Amino acid sequence: MTTDLSHLKADFPILESGVHFLDSGASAQKPIQVLEAMDRFARTSYANVHRGAYRLSMEATDAYEAARNRVAGFINAASPSEVIFTRGATTSLNMVAFGWGLENLTEDDRVLSTQMEHHANLVPWQMVTRRTGATLDHVRITEDGRLDMDDLASRLGPDVAVVAVTGMSNVLGTMPDIREVSRLAHEHGARVVVDAAQLVPHSKVDVQAMGADFLAFSAHKMLGPTGIGVLWGKMEALEEMEPFEGGGEMISNVTLQDATWAEIPHRFEAGTPPIIEAVGLHAAIDYLDAIGMDVIFEHDRELTESALSRLGDMPGVAIQGPTTTESRGGVISLTMDGVHAHDLATILDENGVAVRAGHHCAKPLMTCLGVGATARASFYVYNDESDIDALVAGLRSAAEIFGTG
């Protein structure tokens, strides 16, 4: 590999056990820098934010809002006010579906999703279209697992109000051209909602250049903690939303009969927010930026290219989705003849390799692929060729046990 990040393994205490961790697509490991930042804040600076007039509260508020500013810079938002902290990408996508969808969709509207969506960018739209009477439609994927742009163009029309699309498939690794999707959708006046849970951790994202209206991602997939995610939205799109939750902090005034909302983004952040987690997300972004997102993307591409080449030569192994690294991220889903994905993952685990097995919260995609489940290996900054060596050895072990190939 020309992009060697193997020295970073030392920053991840959990890897000292020797595990070959290939499940970052589900949740990434945390470097010591993130763990220490959260621990230091909890020990020395923690208090509730925004409401307190005492020093600790003001310091905590500064740290929380500094994290918002850091996220805004990381994705090139036009303003930190466009950054809303949530519990995760799933909450962010539900917030758009229920906060924007219930307010704006009618029975005359259509919502376009795709066949490759994670359930988090599909099920909320099923729920909201049932309530509003809008129609839910789906863009096909091509035989090689990419978004069919011709099919997208053919399904767009003046009745399409929303296009909900993944930034990177958590099963196939496919990375649709979001800029082109946005251009086509906006020609018909539709809002574009991007599930970027897999994209933001691995690729440089510029939301202004991308052209979408909403974008969601989670901290825990980008070296940060669980319990915090981000919804970014263009201000004009956020102004079309109603709050998803009511309670403290999100109000300007409350009477016994009515309430008025706080300014954006606070109107969408009801209750005590994930304060320590925001500090962790800030530290995770610092860590990623120190490496460089372009370097990370190239590192993932090189690992994926190596793995695709080596796995493609294995008898009985079928790779689901694109078999080249063009417009593709570091996720490889595979099946092995005669071996269930869960059995495959169990044997790999016995060989010290951690992969995900199942439908990956994308059951409609599994139906399109004609499989019930896959074993999925996903790469990140702490992986190197030795992890692929272990994956290949584990797959060979499975083939021997089951007599395949």
Side-chain angles (χ1 to χ4, degrees), residues 67 138 148-149 178 189 205 299 322 369:
H138 304 91
D148 190 330
M149 296 299 288
I178 300 299
V205 169
H299 167 264
L369 298 174

Side-chain angles (χ1 to χ4, degrees), residues 43-56:
R43 290 173 182 272
T44 66
S45 306
Y46 177 76
N48 212 329
V49 297
H50 295 143
R51 307 180 184 96
Y54 55 93
R55 179 184 59 81
L56 271 180

Side-chain angles (χ1 to χ4, degrees), residues 219-296:
H220 72 95
K221 295 184 190 292
M222 52 188 291
L223 310 182
T226 56
I228 185 169
V230 171
L231 172 64
W232 167 84
K234 288 180 180 176
M235 185 55 66
E236 63 184 64
L238 292 173
E239 288 171 347
E240 297 172 353
M241 284 178 54
E242 283 294 298
F244 180 52
E245 293 181 312
E249 188 63 26
M250 51 77 66
I251 53 86
S252 173
N253 187 43
V254 178
T255 69
L256 288 176
Q257 300 298 329
D258 201 5
T260 56
W261 311 142
E263 294 297 314
I264 297 171
H266 303 296
R267 73 175 58 172
F268 301 117
E269 294 181 2
T272 299
I275 305 166
I276 298 173
E277 291 83 355
V279 171
L281 174 56
H282 190 157
I285 292 175
D286 286 345
Y287 188 92
L288 293 172
D289 263 350
I291 303 168
M293 294 309 298
D294 290 338
V295 172
I296 292 170

